[in-house]
Amino acid sequence: MSTANTPPEAAAPAGFALFRQGLRPFFLICAIWAVVTVVLWLVALHGGGLPDGPLPGARWHGHEMLAGFVGAALSGFLLTAIPNWTGRAAYSGAPLVLLAMLFVVARLVLLPGSPVPVNIAVPIALLPIPALLVTVLPALMRAATPRLLGPPGLLLAFWAGDVLMLGEAAGWWEGTFESGELLSLNVALLLVGLIGGRIIPAFTRNALRAAGQDIEPQPLPGVDTAGVAALLAVTVVDLVAPGGLLAGAAATAAAVLAMLRLSRWLGLRTLGQPILWVLHLAYLMTPVALSVKAAYLLGDATWAANWLHLQGISAIGLMILAVMPRATLGHTGYPLRASRAMVAAWLLLPVAAALRAFGPELLPGMLPFTAAGALWITAFGLFLAAHGPMLLWPRADGKPG
């Protein structure tokens, strides 16, 4: 875009643009960390001699897939959404640089082989989310809209899971790592239900209208509220009474309500638009994962024992991989059209989830772990190839941001 006749004060800045809005650094960190974490874990599984750091290898892997990968995605989402919700300018410049640096340092101090003592590494690793919440709180308070506090409140609950995980490692308390892991995992799923339930019907309605169709999603009365409440119940029950019949019943109810919600969103009418149908596919993984969890908890089905990975990879991971390209395109001035690379990535991730969740019962040795990891790495590598440059450089339409 030519700026020859544009006043200097209105011209969009040129050059490196990584710290001009919140999604740029955090979506990039999210995708890079998705690749790095799984590469290192596959090295460890194949006898690569990955040294322990502040956390043992298996716990580092579980923690970083949540606090690192999911945490980066949630941070990028909030830092981008809150300016839209409140009307303030985008978070950029020095505050954004500081938040991104804190997040990266938190990852580095926990790396396998890190020489940082655990009692120092843990407080450092717990800093990023409180720092982010302190950054966004003034805008939320000025907005004086209570409902806007919901997502930041859930991010705080997600961080509480991190505190439980790392607090055990630091010796602050005992036997809380698994509880914290499950809390963070379930809060992430709750955010999928809350945010997905808002954006998927809205995006579908807008797309159908643009295509000249006058039909729009019609939710069943009370089901949306009940569906979110059921996911909240899953989170609470898994915290106070995990692994039992009550947890299985909560998962069953949440699965039924999630499927009812999805059935009203006209997903079949989006099949010609990959950037839209992937949102429906990602949300479908919520009732699928919850159903598998219920089968394990209520029916003691051994084939369903890895439900946690199904929830993490498909219901949460695929939703992240569905939202990040769309948000990146929209906030960097590109048309909302999915590339072939991203369509391939979206198809690979459910296969990775199925291999990791069900493969150990069906396939020999390390094959399901290696195959699932390779597909995961490929999917997020495709995102980096397709959208990484968009996050690094100025908007295609010449606008600020």
Side-chain angles (χ1 to χ4, degrees):
M1 175 182 291
S2 173
T3 58
N5 298 317
T6 304
E9 65 274 17
F16 193 61
L18 182 61
F19 297 106
R20 293 183 188 168
Q21 57 178 323
L23 64 80
R24 288 179 176 270
F26 280 97
F27 283 6
L28 198 62
I29 292 169
C30 175
I32 291 172
W33 203 236
V35 172
V36 170
T37 306
V38 175
V39 167
L40 291 177
W41 183 234
L42 288 179
V43 169
L45 290 179
H46 286 272
L50 207 62
D52 283 346
L55 295 174
R59 288 194 166 186
W60 172 80
H61 170 67
H63 177 268
E64 289 304 298
M65 294 309 296
L66 289 165
F69 164 67
V70 178
L74 295 179
S75 298
F77 169 79
L78 269 187
L79 286 168
T80 305
I82 286 174
N84 292 336
W85 297 340
T86 63
R88 65 147 284 154
Y91 294 99
S92 62
L96 187 56
V97 171
L98 178 59
L99 290 173
M101 286 179 60
L102 279 175
F103 199 89
V104 171
V105 169
R107 313 280 64 81
L108 296 178
V109 297
L110 294 177
L111 271 175
S114 167
V116 182
V118 66
N119 62 333
I120 297 175
V122 165
I124 293 173
L126 289 173
L127 280 177
I129 286 180
L132 184 150
L133 291 173
V134 168
T135 301
V136 302
L137 189 60
L140 294 171
M141 298 307 294
R142 284 194 296 271
T145 306
R147 65 180 177 83
L148 297 183
L149 297 175
L154 289 176
L155 183 62
L156 187 61
F158 178 85
W159 179 74
D162 197 5
V163 173
L164 291 174
M165 285 187 279
L166 293 183
E168 179 180 343
W172 299 345
W173 34 69
E174 295 181 0
T176 58
F177 187 92
E178 287 78 10
S179 296
E181 189 175 41
L182 196 53
L183 176 59
S184 291
L185 185 77
N186 283 334
V187 171
L189 190 67
L190 177 55
L191 281 162
V192 167
L194 179 66
I195 297 169
R198 292 179 181 176
I199 67 173
I200 298 172
F203 291 164
T204 301
R205 178 176 59 251
N206 294 341
L208 293 178
R209 285 177 178 173
Q213 301 184 47
D214 58 4
I215 189 170
E216 63 179 68
Q218 296 291 336
L220 293 168
V223 168
D224 281 345
T225 300
V228 173
L231 291 172
L232 178 59
V234 167
T235 304
V236 173
V237 170
D238 276 354
L239 186 62
V240 300
L245 295 179
L246 184 59
T252 301
V256 170
L257 288 165
M259 197 66 213
L260 278 174
R261 294 182 82 191
L262 181 64
S263 71
R264 308 295 293 181
W265 293 347
L266 304 176
L268 292 178
R269 291 178 176 267
T270 70
L271 294 180
Q273 301 182 56
I275 203 163
L276 195 53
W277 63 244
V278 68
L279 294 171
H280 292 262
L281 175 62
Y283 199 87
L284 175 63
M285 295 300 104
T286 292
V288 169
L290 288 167
S291 297
V292 173
K293 176 183 179 179
Y296 179 70
L297 295 178
L298 298 179
D300 200 24
T302 57
W303 57 267
N306 293 312
W307 63 266
L308 186 147
H309 288 89
L310 190 65
Q311 180 173 323
I313 297 172
S314 61
I316 297 168
L318 183 57
M319 185 60 79
I320 289 171
L321 192 62
V323 170
M324 288 201 305
R326 184 185 185 100
T328 299
L329 291 169
H331 286 274
T332 57
Y334 287 86
L336 289 178
R337 289 195 298 269
S339 66
R340 291 181 180 178
M342 285 315 308
V343 174
W346 293 331
L347 296 175
L348 290 176
L349 214 54
V351 179
L355 283 168
R356 182 59 187 87
F358 309 122
E361 286 284 315
L362 303 171
L363 300 172
M366 298 300 299
L367 180 59
F369 304 94
T370 303
L375 293 179
W376 172 277
I377 291 165
T378 302
F380 283 93
L382 288 170
F383 171 83
L384 287 169
H387 297 286
M390 299 178 189
L391 296 169
L392 290 171
W393 303 110
R395 290 177 58 107
D397 56 10
K399 296 179 181 179

